Amino acid sequence: MERIGLIDYGAGNTTSVLNALEHLRLDVTLARTPEDLENADRLILPGVGAFASAMRKLERLALVDALGDHVVERKKPFLGICVGMQLLADLGHEFETYPGLGYVAGEVKRLRAEEVGLRVPHIGWNEVDYDPSCPLFEGMSAPAFYFVHSYVIEPSDPTSTVATCLHGGPFAAAVRRGNIFGVQFHPEKSQRDGLKLLENFASFEVTRGDEPTRQGRPSVADGSLVIRSR
Amino acid sequence: MIKNAFDPEPHLSESSLEKGLADRTDQLPDALHRGIVERVARMYQHAKEGQRHASGPYRIGGEWASFYEERERLYEPLRQGDIDASLALLRGFWRNELGPLVKEYARFEQLVAREEPATSRFQAGVVRNYLIWNDLVDASPESLRIPDVGNPWGYVIDGVMVAPKATRFHALSTQAQRLVSDAERPWVLEIGAGYGGMAYYLLRDRADVTYVDFDLPETLVLAAYYLLCCLPDRRHFLYGEGEIPWGERSGLASLLLPNFALASVPERSAALVVNSFSLSEMPRGTLAEYCDRIGHITDVYFWHNNVDRWGVVNRGHERIPASAYPLDESLLSLVSKHFDQFHGHGGDYREYLYRRVEAHAQMEA
């Protein structure tokens, strides 16, 4: 059985995800260092809180470059959950503009739901429209997932979006670039459908054609990042 | 152990039920009360007459046909213009034979008899909805209070008698106010208001709204009686009191109209159109007509909450799932879809919010 490395970087709801994976009797190890990533065949990056704060925690643990090596170069299957999904983007704009991992071209912006009288954060269960060919959703019918978030990833390439949800307008509920997946909802809190999704991720096999295109992280130095004041 | 914030158990007590069922006969002055009932009776007579001539889609059908066939006789005092008998009937509508239109989880007589499982279901359901409401709406429990009209009953929580469906009505009224917050003197149209629970909160909390209800005459009677008694100082138009004042944009609190009047609503006259639960219960032809009208009369938003599952049959009618409604997507664009917030993700109901396409484009710009 392949081992899942659950990245424990102090910004994730690690325990809930760990419980869900253990419930599925999957082989899981917590990964806190670049060395820990070596022991995992596939990786899950959970996340709660703000984008910049989560990125800084990854940076402090020297996990950004290590993840690039394992996920982009070595193509280990990767799943980002909630903020863990948002970190896949080039930039986040929560409280401040900050560069993300840059695996999925796009930016993370606040939900535009308040203008239609809906509350932000978006909290609750929603059905999603999904690409049935995406392996995460294999074997599902009208799946519903639990969301808690105020920000969403807006991929610049629409083909990255493999599931959408509606809250004041459509937003990306799941993205994929080859072996890299991200889900805005919390599969670990989404009961049957969430467990099925985690199970699907655990059994997904990378095949030819799944390779993502690596994207460089934007930076102030090359002019691709402008830091806004709060 | 993690505490479940929506666990009704700590709020359940016999005394809360006892207090909730206590008598709440109105204290309305007799002359005012009789005047209201006379207007309501005349409205009913006009509506029944108009109903006889209504075109196909506006004739009663779907799962409501047999329901009203059974219940029409209850309205005989109104049809006859017997004001004393009508007043006696309406004054206790929460508790008498008209009660099935207001109940939730249990009927009044079941609760008085402490019938099980109805009583336990009622208590747990009302409290759970209250806890969900508390999470959804930033308001004090006092905001759920309703006037003593029709001798209402419910369950006392945090010192307030919470009537059946009150939390749902208040949450919807709150959202409706958000949706029309930018509109000047907005018209809010509701298709099927029941006794007018949402309308009361909306009119109480947003004075410049004109509220329009379309319903079958028997239910319209309750809404008209309720709103006129709850808000006697406001101006209300009842069907049959002359030409429908579609052009009036100020000073009018409500228009209480039979369903077939929907056909005469001017284009894009409503900032918000609302429906809870009834569109799916209509025959297919009626639904098509209503969807067509909704597309034309909605100026900004159309919000509805209806069943979204095939195969639900009630009184011989298979409900039409909300996702299959024939709405014109060139006029209305879906911007939100959620599970019914009180039923949760296990239920068959979904809340849909559509925005007028032109309004959508303007906001995006």
Side-chain angles (χ1 to χ4, degrees):
Chain A
M1 184 189 289
E2 287 197 325
R3 176 170 290 175
I4 294 175
L6 178 60
I7 300 168
D8 181 13
Y9 63 119
N13 47 336
T14 315
T15 308
S16 318
V17 181
L18 182 63
N19 289 342
L21 296 171
E22 287 181 340
H23 175 82
L24 292 168
R25 299 180 186 283
L26 296 168
D27 183 8
V28 192
T29 180
L30 291 176
R32 300 185 175 103
T33 66
E35 294 70 39
D36 291 341
L37 300 183
E38 292 293 340
N39 300 323
D41 304 297
R42 46 191 76 214
L43 296 162
I44 293 180
L45 180 67
V48 290
F51 184 99
S53 153
M55 270 310 293
R56 286 194 180 102
K57 284 174 178 160
L58 282 179
E59 287 164 350
R60 250 180 252 134
L61 295 170
L63 286 170
V64 175
D65 288 342
L67 279 171
D69 178 37
H70 286 267
V71 177
V72 180
E73 302 301 333
R74 294 153 73 175
K75 297 182 181 49
K76 289 184 179 176
F78 177 91
L79 175 65
I81 296 174
C82 195
V83 173
M85 172 224 210
Q86 295 174 4
L87 296 182
L88 300 177
D90 293 324
L91 287 174
H93 296 290
E94 188 171 3
F95 300 125
E96 60 185 307
T97 297
Y98 204 83
L101 294 168
Y103 300 167
V104 174
E107 299 184 16
V108 174
K109 296 180 181 171
R110 190 172 169 81
L111 273 167
R112 289 180 297 170
E114 286 146 316
E115 67 189 46
V116 292
L118 297 170
R119 73 176 179 180
V120 175
H122 167 216
I123 302 173
W125 290 82
N126 274 85
E127 286 160 314
V128 299
D129 289 328
Y130 61 97
D131 173 358
S133 70
C134 176
L136 287 186
F137 300 103
E138 199 176 309
M140 293 189 198
S141 170
F145 299 101
Y146 186 76
F147 290 80
V148 186
H149 64 119
S150 300
Y151 284 76
V152 288
I153 187 168
E154 294 185 4
S156 49
D157 176 0
T159 64
S160 303
T161 301
V162 289
T164 60
C165 181
L166 277 168
H167 187 73
F171 67 84
V175 292
R176 179 190 182 188
R177 282 191 67 82
N179 57 309
I180 300 167
F181 299 89
V183 291
Q184 183 56 66
F185 48 82
H186 287 270
E188 76 282 6
K189 293 178 181 172
S190 299
Q191 300 175 8
R192 184 195 58 196
D193 291 326
L195 291 174
K196 177 68 180 161
L197 184 138
L198 290 172
E199 201 170 37
N200 286 344
F201 171 71
S203 60
F204 161 71
E205 286 181 23
V206 181
T207 54
R208 282 174 66 86
D210 280 336
E211 297 83 358
T213 306
R214 176 152 202 183
Q215 303 188 22
R217 290 186 71 203
S219 70
V220 176
D222 68 12
S224 60
L225 174 64
V226 177
I227 303 292
R228 292 187 201 147
S229 56
R230 284 179 72 171
Chain B
M1 193 171 135
I2 297 167
K3 190 181 161 204
N4 177 3
F6 301 102
D7 180 6
E9 194 61 38
H11 299 267
L12 300 182
S13 76
E14 170 60 25
S15 75
S16 295
L17 180 61
E18 189 73 37
K19 286 181 205 159
L21 301 179
D23 183 68
R24 288 182 175 79
T25 304
D26 67 80
Q27 300 298 317
L28 289 169
D30 193 51
L32 171 74
H33 209 166
R34 288 185 70 82
I36 289 171
V37 174
E38 282 168 7
R39 286 180 68 192
V40 171
R42 280 197 299 273
M43 178 200 75
Y44 181 66
Q45 293 158 12
H46 281 290
K48 291 304 284 183
E49 178 59 22
Q51 191 180 46
R52 288 178 51 222
H53 306 291
S55 61
Y58 293 102
R59 291 198 192 123
I60 193 164
E63 57 193 77
W64 292 100
S66 59
F67 183 78
Y68 280 103
E69 200 172 296
E70 292 161 14
R71 303 189 61 76
E72 204 175 1
R73 62 183 173 78
L74 303 174
Y75 295 80
E76 195 57 18
L78 289 140
R79 202 180 66 78
Q80 297 281 355
D82 182 341
I83 301 307
D84 288 331
S86 299
L87 199 152
L89 179 71
L90 292 171
R91 190 169 217 173
F93 78 81
W94 284 81
R95 301 177 186 233
N96 60 28
E97 55 272 36
L98 302 185
L101 284 169
V102 300
K103 69 148 178 105
E104 184 178 42
Y105 303 118
R107 296 191 310 276
F108 177 70
E109 62 271 22
Q110 290 177 304
L111 296 173
V112 169
R114 300 296 192 273
E115 254 181 48
E116 289 295 354
T119 302
S120 296
R121 186 176 59 218
F122 169 77
Q123 294 184 93
V126 170
V127 172
R128 181 178 168 278
N129 287 349
Y130 174 80
L131 296 171
I132 292 170
W133 169 83
N134 210 21
D135 186 59
L136 291 173
V137 177
D138 181 21
S140 77
E142 271 300 313
S143 62
L144 292 172
R145 196 177 289 282
I146 57 170
D148 291 342
V149 168
N151 205 348
W153 51 270
Y155 191 77
V156 173
I157 313 173
D158 291 338
V160 175
M161 193 281 284
V162 179
K165 304 180 194 168
T167 45
R168 178 182 287 282
F169 289 142
H170 188 273
L172 176 54
S173 161
T174 304
Q175 186 173 359
Q177 289 173 64
R178 286 190 203 129
L179 290 170
V180 300
S181 60
D182 293 334
E184 199 176 328
R185 301 187 188 285
W187 282 45
V188 175
L189 269 63
E190 185 168 20
I191 296 168
Y195 72 89
M198 191 283 282
Y200 167 68
Y201 290 129
L202 179 65
L203 292 171
R204 181 194 68 182
D205 298 338
R206 175 90 193 249
D208 68 333
V209 163
T210 296
Y211 169 83
V212 190
D213 176 25
F214 298 92
D215 216 328
L216 296 168
E218 284 72 20
T219 311
L220 187 66
V221 160
L222 289 193
Y225 173 77
Y226 187 69
L227 292 176
L228 266 65
C229 289
C230 287
L231 302 162
D233 299 329
R234 306 282 296 278
R235 203 151 65 81
H236 305 271
F237 175 88
L238 274 58
Y239 183 74
E241 295 182 338
E243 287 289 307
I244 301 171
W246 292 123
E248 193 163 335
R249 283 276 156 182
S250 64
L252 199 54
S254 75
L255 289 84
L256 288 312
L257 305 172
N259 64 317
F260 51 83
L262 187 65
S264 63
V265 182
E267 290 277 311
R268 301 189 63 166
S269 53
L272 171 65
V273 177
V274 170
N275 173 257
S276 298
F277 307 138
S278 53
L279 287 172
S280 289
E281 298 166 358
M282 296 173 180
R284 198 167 286 276
T286 302
L287 176 66
E289 167 71 10
Y290 275 56
C291 286
D292 179 64
R293 292 302 303 145
I294 289 165
H296 285 92
I297 66 183
T298 301
D299 189 43
V300 189
Y301 291 114
F302 167 48
W303 179 98
H304 77 90
N305 180 348
N306 276 284
V307 73
D308 194 25
R309 184 160 72 85
W310 289 103
V312 179
V313 178
N314 189 33
R315 289 177 173 258
H317 169 75
E318 182 174 0
R319 292 181 175 173
I320 301 166
S323 51
Y325 289 177
L327 285 160
D328 186 344
E329 291 176 8
S330 70
L331 297 175
L332 297 170
S333 159
L334 182 64
V335 292
S336 278
K337 180 186 170 189
H338 291 266
F339 287 95
D340 177 308
Q341 306 207 65
F342 289 90
H343 290 169
H345 74 289
D348 292 334
Y349 286 79
R350 306 285 183 276
E351 299 177 11
Y352 290 76
L353 179 66
Y354 293 84
R355 188 158 50 188
R356 184 90 189 178
V357 168
E358 296 93 322
H360 196 159
Q362 281 165 11
M363 287 177 190
E364 291 291 309

